[in-house]
Amino acid sequence: MALVPAQGPYQGAQAAPTAGASRVAILLPLSGPRADIGQPMLQAAQVALDAPGAPALIVKDTGGTPQGAAAAAQAALAEGAGLILGPLTSGETAAVAPVARGANVAVLAFTNDPAQIQPGVWPLGITPGEQVRRLVTAVQAEGKSRIAAMLPDNAFGRVMADALTQAATARNLPPPEIRQYQPSMASINQTARDLSGFASRRGPIDAQIRAARDEGTPEGRRKAQELARSSIPPPPFDALLLGDTGDSLAEIAAVLPYYDIDASLVHILGPALWANASGRGGQIVGAWYAAPDPASRGALEQAYTAKYNAPPPPLADLAFDAAAIARVLTGRGYSAGALTQPNGFAGVDGWLALEPDGEVRRGLAVFQIQRGGATQMVAPAPESPTAPGA
């Protein structure tokens, strides 16, 4: 069950942080409205450190606020912490980052906000960018190269748009056509129409129908009827990234067929949120999303349940992996060189590699949504940073 470094040569320290202390701090909301999240995450970290030679754990309560997180980090550093695990949220991470940087101590945060990525601060939450990169790799392997996106005009949509542009560039694919819409059916409808080029695809057929009807003959009317039943050319893309969930996704699912965006020709891609019933990804049968392989966390579930008589919640994975990284590196110190070893670590949600700039790479599987909302894995998670799909 233990997280271990992937096999390969150890890379020495490259840059700050270079703290060598053996004590490790974990910052979590152990009081306040998020205590029900913080407590099981602490327990997961304790499971990871329940082994001989594990570092001492300094536990600090953030109260779930940026001010509390900054104070907790200062107190932990005063007690000799050489690595900080947590905090939970983006705002807390932003408050902790300068405190840790001033002490030259690394942070393995639990947020998935890409805005917190920076040297010495690694957000371990699975970001939209990681999901998009995996999906782009997967559809490219299927021979798809023209990717478009229809995304909500909000922070999440903008993050996905940036990730798609970066992923397409990295894979030498054409620049993606990206459109964003407002939260209304009218905006969704117009965006789908414009993005799919429906007017130019349908226009020539409509012109032929009008010409046939204008003939005013039975033969012209028959010809017009045949043309009305004919298929129009496919849209100018062979994969389409969506970012919405719930009711908005239902509206998009209704609009796509109207503009002849045929799921048999266009791979529909979306966020891992579609895996949850509330995401309602089941409305788009055949769509793909990227997420960890749930089978990989079986050992954690067994150990956690045995100790606490309850299964671990999803966020417990992040705390377990962060603590396990700390345990694996005990004796080496928590330098940038140790944390960013190129072969990464084998975690409970698949391998993960910490990049020098603060980005986290993960091995994600790709799943397809089946009728009734069931899912089926269509591409396994790569098992190392150099494996296909990584």
Side-chain angles (χ1 to χ4, degrees):
M1 181 196 69
L3 178 148
V4 297
Q7 296 301 309
Y10 166 71
Q11 184 179 11
Q14 299 174 349
T18 56
S22 60
R23 304 191 77 195
V24 174
I26 187 165
L27 314 183
L28 287 167
L30 303 176
S31 63
R34 293 194 177 95
D36 61 331
I37 300 174
Q39 291 288 350
M41 294 184 74
L42 173 59
Q43 292 171 340
Q46 291 169 333
V47 169
L49 297 176
D50 187 13
L57 186 64
I58 302 169
V59 180
K60 295 297 178 183
D61 180 14
T62 68
T65 69
Q67 297 84 356
Q74 291 168 345
L77 293 170
E79 295 181 29
L83 176 67
I84 291 176
L85 315 181
L88 177 61
T89 66
S90 176
E92 291 174 288
T93 303
V96 166
V99 176
R101 184 166 55 247
N104 208 27
V105 169
V107 177
L108 302 182
F110 302 139
T111 179
N112 71 343
D113 182 4
Q116 301 309 319
I117 294 172
Q118 57 186 286
V121 179
W122 288 271
L124 296 185
I126 299 175
T127 66
E130 292 166 6
Q131 299 171 40
V132 171
R133 282 193 295 272
R134 180 66 179 103
L135 289 170
V136 168
T137 302
V139 296
Q140 188 179 26
E142 294 286 312
K144 309 291 186 180
S145 61
R146 296 171 296 123
I147 306 175
M150 182 174 165
L151 302 167
D153 189 10
N154 56 28
F156 184 74
R158 288 187 285 275
V159 167
M160 292 192 75
D162 290 343
L164 178 58
T165 299
Q166 293 168 11
T169 300
R171 304 293 300 182
N172 296 315
L173 296 176
E177 185 72 25
I178 300 173
R179 303 290 178 89
Q180 293 184 274
Y181 54 85
Q182 299 299 318
S184 71
M185 186 60 183
S187 181
I188 289 172
N189 182 72
Q190 189 61 49
T191 302
R193 180 183 177 88
D194 293 345
L195 180 63
S196 68
F198 185 75
S200 60
R201 293 158 59 213
R202 183 73 196 182
I205 294 177
D206 286 342
Q208 293 176 55
I209 292 173
R210 287 193 297 271
R213 288 173 176 168
D214 289 345
E215 293 176 7
T217 64
E219 177 62 22
R221 289 192 292 273
R222 184 191 61 78
K223 184 178 179 182
Q225 290 173 351
E226 290 179 353
L227 286 167
R229 292 191 296 268
S230 63
S231 300
I232 70 171
F237 48 82
D238 49 27
L240 176 64
L241 176 67
L242 306 177
D244 233 322
T245 59
D247 292 341
S248 294
L249 181 59
E251 294 173 345
I252 294 169
V255 163
L256 295 183
Y258 185 80
Y259 292 115
D260 288 288
I261 300 174
D262 188 345
S264 67
L265 301 175
V266 176
H267 264 322
I268 305 298
L269 315 174
L273 294 169
W274 287 0
N276 302 321
S278 59
R280 296 169 66 181
Q283 298 168 110
I284 304 183
V285 175
W288 285 7
Y289 66 87
D293 181 352
S296 66
R297 74 190 300 259
L300 169 61
E301 290 177 343
Q302 182 178 1
Y304 186 99
T305 302
K307 188 167 185 177
Y308 299 112
N309 297 315
L315 288 177
D317 298 23
L318 305 179
F320 179 92
D321 278 356
I325 288 173
R327 178 177 52 76
V328 165
L329 296 180
T330 300
R332 300 186 191 181
Y334 305 117
S335 68
L339 288 163
T340 61
Q341 53 187 327
N343 288 304
F345 303 88
V348 296
D349 287 329
W351 69 262
L352 66 159
L354 311 181
E355 301 291 338
D357 63 357
E359 191 165 0
V360 179
R361 292 177 59 202
R362 285 185 175 272
L364 301 177
V366 179
F367 298 86
Q368 184 182 61
I369 296 171
Q370 308 291 304
R371 294 193 181 278
T375 61
Q376 178 181 352
M377 186 187 299
V378 294
E383 296 180 355
S384 75
T386 57

